[in-house]
Short mmCIF file of all heavy atoms in Angstrom, two decimals:
data_model
loop_
_atom_site.label_atom_id
_atom_site.label_comp_id
_atom_site.label_asym_id
_atom_site.label_seq_id
_atom_site.Cartn_x
_atom_site.Cartn_y
_atom_site.Cartn_z
N ALA A 52 43.03 -0.65 52.38
CA ALA A 52 44.31 0.04 52.54
C ALA A 52 45.20 -0.76 53.47
O ALA A 52 44.70 -1.54 54.30
CB ALA A 52 44.10 1.45 53.09
N ILE A 53 46.51 -0.55 53.32
CA ILE A 53 47.46 -1.25 54.17
C ILE A 53 48.56 -0.28 54.57
O ILE A 53 49.04 0.51 53.74
CB ILE A 53 48.03 -2.49 53.46
CG1 ILE A 53 48.89 -3.32 54.41
CG2 ILE A 53 48.81 -2.12 52.20
CD1 ILE A 53 49.21 -4.72 53.87
N ARG A 54 48.93 -0.32 55.84
CA ARG A 54 50.06 0.47 56.30
C ARG A 54 51.33 -0.30 55.97
O ARG A 54 51.48 -1.45 56.34
CB ARG A 54 49.95 0.73 57.80
CG ARG A 54 50.96 1.74 58.33
CD ARG A 54 50.49 2.36 59.63
NE ARG A 54 50.19 1.38 60.64
CZ ARG A 54 49.19 1.51 61.51
NH1 ARG A 54 48.42 2.57 61.49
NH2 ARG A 54 48.97 0.57 62.42
N TYR A 55 52.20 0.36 55.22
CA TYR A 55 53.32 -0.34 54.62
C TYR A 55 54.23 -0.97 55.66
O TYR A 55 54.72 -2.09 55.46
CB TYR A 55 54.11 0.64 53.75
CG TYR A 55 55.12 -0.02 52.86
CD1 TYR A 55 54.72 -0.75 51.74
CD2 TYR A 55 56.48 0.08 53.14
CE1 TYR A 55 55.66 -1.36 50.92
CE2 TYR A 55 57.42 -0.53 52.32
CZ TYR A 55 56.99 -1.24 51.21
OH TYR A 55 57.91 -1.86 50.39
N GLY A 56 54.48 -0.29 56.77
CA GLY A 56 55.46 -0.78 57.72
C GLY A 56 55.04 -2.03 58.47
O GLY A 56 55.76 -3.03 58.49
N ASP A 57 53.86 -2.00 59.09
CA ASP A 57 53.47 -3.13 59.93
C ASP A 57 52.38 -3.99 59.32
O ASP A 57 51.97 -4.98 59.94
CB ASP A 57 53.03 -2.65 61.32
CG ASP A 57 51.79 -1.77 61.29
OD1 ASP A 57 51.16 -1.64 60.21
OD2 ASP A 57 51.44 -1.20 62.34
N GLY A 58 51.90 -3.61 58.13
CA GLY A 58 50.92 -4.45 57.45
C GLY A 58 49.51 -4.37 57.98
O GLY A 58 48.68 -5.21 57.61
N THR A 59 49.21 -3.39 58.83
CA THR A 59 47.85 -3.23 59.32
C THR A 59 46.92 -2.94 58.15
O THR A 59 47.24 -2.12 57.29
CB THR A 59 47.76 -2.10 60.34
OG1 THR A 59 48.62 -2.39 61.44
CG2 THR A 59 46.34 -1.94 60.86
N THR A 60 45.78 -3.63 58.11
CA THR A 60 44.88 -3.51 56.98
C THR A 60 43.55 -2.87 57.38
O THR A 60 43.13 -2.96 58.54
CB THR A 60 44.60 -4.88 56.34
OG1 THR A 60 44.08 -5.76 57.34
CG2 THR A 60 45.88 -5.47 55.77
N PHE A 61 42.91 -2.28 56.40
CA PHE A 61 41.63 -1.61 56.58
C PHE A 61 40.75 -1.95 55.38
O PHE A 61 41.24 -1.97 54.24
CB PHE A 61 41.82 -0.09 56.66
CG PHE A 61 42.82 0.35 57.69
CD1 PHE A 61 44.18 0.38 57.40
CD2 PHE A 61 42.41 0.72 58.97
CE1 PHE A 61 45.11 0.77 58.34
CE2 PHE A 61 43.33 1.12 59.92
CZ PHE A 61 44.69 1.14 59.61
N TYR A 62 39.47 -2.21 55.65
CA TYR A 62 38.54 -2.58 54.57
C TYR A 62 37.21 -1.86 54.75
O TYR A 62 36.74 -1.66 55.88
CB TYR A 62 38.28 -4.08 54.57
CG TYR A 62 39.50 -4.93 54.35
CD1 TYR A 62 40.19 -5.49 55.41
CD2 TYR A 62 39.96 -5.18 53.06
CE1 TYR A 62 41.32 -6.26 55.21
CE2 TYR A 62 41.08 -5.97 52.85
CZ TYR A 62 41.76 -6.49 53.93
OH TYR A 62 42.88 -7.26 53.71
N THR A 63 36.58 -1.55 53.63
CA THR A 63 35.21 -1.10 53.72
C THR A 63 34.33 -2.31 53.97
O THR A 63 34.68 -3.45 53.60
CB THR A 63 34.79 -0.37 52.43
OG1 THR A 63 33.56 0.30 52.65
CG2 THR A 63 34.67 -1.31 51.25
N ASP A 64 33.19 -2.09 54.62
CA ASP A 64 32.37 -3.22 55.07
C ASP A 64 31.96 -4.17 53.95
O ASP A 64 31.91 -5.39 54.14
CB ASP A 64 31.10 -2.69 55.77
CG ASP A 64 31.40 -2.06 57.12
OD1 ASP A 64 32.52 -2.27 57.63
OD2 ASP A 64 30.52 -1.36 57.64
N SER A 65 31.68 -3.64 52.79
CA SER A 65 31.14 -4.48 51.71
C SER A 65 32.13 -5.50 51.16
O SER A 65 31.71 -6.43 50.46
CB SER A 65 30.62 -3.59 50.57
OG SER A 65 31.69 -2.88 49.97
N VAL A 66 33.42 -5.34 51.46
CA VAL A 66 34.40 -6.29 50.92
C VAL A 66 35.07 -7.11 52.01
O VAL A 66 35.86 -8.03 51.69
CB VAL A 66 35.49 -5.56 50.09
CG1 VAL A 66 34.85 -4.68 49.03
CG2 VAL A 66 36.44 -4.78 50.96
N THR A 67 34.77 -6.84 53.25
CA THR A 67 35.40 -7.57 54.36
C THR A 67 35.09 -9.06 54.23
O THR A 67 33.94 -9.45 54.03
CB THR A 67 34.89 -7.04 55.70
OG1 THR A 67 35.27 -5.66 55.82
CG2 THR A 67 35.51 -7.81 56.86
N GLY A 68 36.13 -9.85 54.32
CA GLY A 68 35.98 -11.30 54.19
C GLY A 68 36.11 -11.80 52.76
O GLY A 68 36.27 -13.01 52.55
N ARG A 69 36.07 -10.91 51.79
CA ARG A 69 36.21 -11.32 50.39
C ARG A 69 37.49 -10.79 49.75
O ARG A 69 38.06 -11.45 48.89
CB ARG A 69 35.01 -10.82 49.58
CG ARG A 69 33.67 -11.33 50.04
CD ARG A 69 32.56 -10.94 49.08
NE ARG A 69 32.36 -9.50 48.99
CZ ARG A 69 32.47 -8.81 47.86
NH1 ARG A 69 32.78 -9.42 46.74
NH2 ARG A 69 32.26 -7.49 47.86
N PHE A 70 37.91 -9.63 50.14
CA PHE A 70 39.11 -9.00 49.59
C PHE A 70 40.24 -9.05 50.62
O PHE A 70 39.99 -9.00 51.83
CB PHE A 70 38.85 -7.54 49.23
CG PHE A 70 37.93 -7.30 48.07
CD1 PHE A 70 37.16 -8.32 47.52
CD2 PHE A 70 37.84 -6.04 47.51
CE1 PHE A 70 36.32 -8.09 46.44
CE2 PHE A 70 37.01 -5.78 46.43
CZ PHE A 70 36.24 -6.81 45.90
N ALA A 71 41.46 -9.11 50.11
CA ALA A 71 42.63 -9.07 50.98
C ALA A 71 43.69 -8.18 50.34
O ALA A 71 44.04 -8.38 49.16
CB ALA A 71 43.19 -10.46 51.21
N ILE A 72 44.18 -7.22 51.10
CA ILE A 72 45.24 -6.34 50.61
C ILE A 72 46.55 -6.74 51.28
O ILE A 72 46.59 -7.02 52.48
CB ILE A 72 44.90 -4.86 50.86
CG1 ILE A 72 45.94 -3.94 50.21
CG2 ILE A 72 44.76 -4.55 52.35
CD1 ILE A 72 45.55 -2.47 50.21
N ARG A 73 47.60 -6.79 50.49
CA ARG A 73 48.92 -7.16 50.99
C ARG A 73 49.96 -6.23 50.39
O ARG A 73 49.72 -5.57 49.38
CB ARG A 73 49.25 -8.61 50.61
CG ARG A 73 48.28 -9.64 51.19
CD ARG A 73 48.48 -9.83 52.67
NE ARG A 73 47.61 -10.88 53.20
CZ ARG A 73 46.44 -10.66 53.76
NH1 ARG A 73 45.96 -9.41 53.88
NH2 ARG A 73 45.72 -11.66 54.22
N ARG A 74 51.16 -6.23 51.01
CA ARG A 74 52.27 -5.48 50.42
C ARG A 74 53.51 -6.36 50.45
O ARG A 74 53.61 -7.29 51.25
CB ARG A 74 52.48 -4.13 51.11
CG ARG A 74 53.40 -4.09 52.34
CD ARG A 74 52.84 -4.76 53.51
NE ARG A 74 53.62 -4.53 54.73
CZ ARG A 74 53.95 -5.51 55.54
NH1 ARG A 74 53.64 -6.78 55.24
NH2 ARG A 74 54.60 -5.25 56.66
N ILE A 75 54.44 -6.04 49.60
CA ILE A 75 55.70 -6.76 49.55
C ILE A 75 56.78 -5.79 50.01
O ILE A 75 57.11 -4.82 49.30
CB ILE A 75 56.00 -7.29 48.13
CG1 ILE A 75 54.85 -8.19 47.67
CG2 ILE A 75 57.32 -8.05 48.12
CD1 ILE A 75 54.99 -8.66 46.24
N LEU A 76 57.30 -6.02 51.20
CA LEU A 76 58.28 -5.11 51.76
C LEU A 76 59.53 -5.05 50.89
O LEU A 76 59.99 -6.07 50.37
CB LEU A 76 58.67 -5.56 53.17
CG LEU A 76 57.62 -5.28 54.26
CD1 LEU A 76 58.03 -5.93 55.56
CD2 LEU A 76 57.43 -3.78 54.44
N GLY A 77 60.06 -3.85 50.74
CA GLY A 77 61.26 -3.66 49.96
C GLY A 77 61.05 -3.60 48.47
O GLY A 77 61.99 -3.32 47.72
#
Side-chain angles (χ1 to χ4, degrees):
I53 187 166
R54 189 157 56 216
Y55 192 73
D57 64 8
T59 301
T60 57
F61 306 84
Y62 299 97
T63 192
D64 289 346
S65 65
V66 307
T67 298
R69 300 188 296 121
F70 291 12
I72 186 170
R73 299 287 183 264
R74 88 290 190 227
I75 302 175
L76 285 172

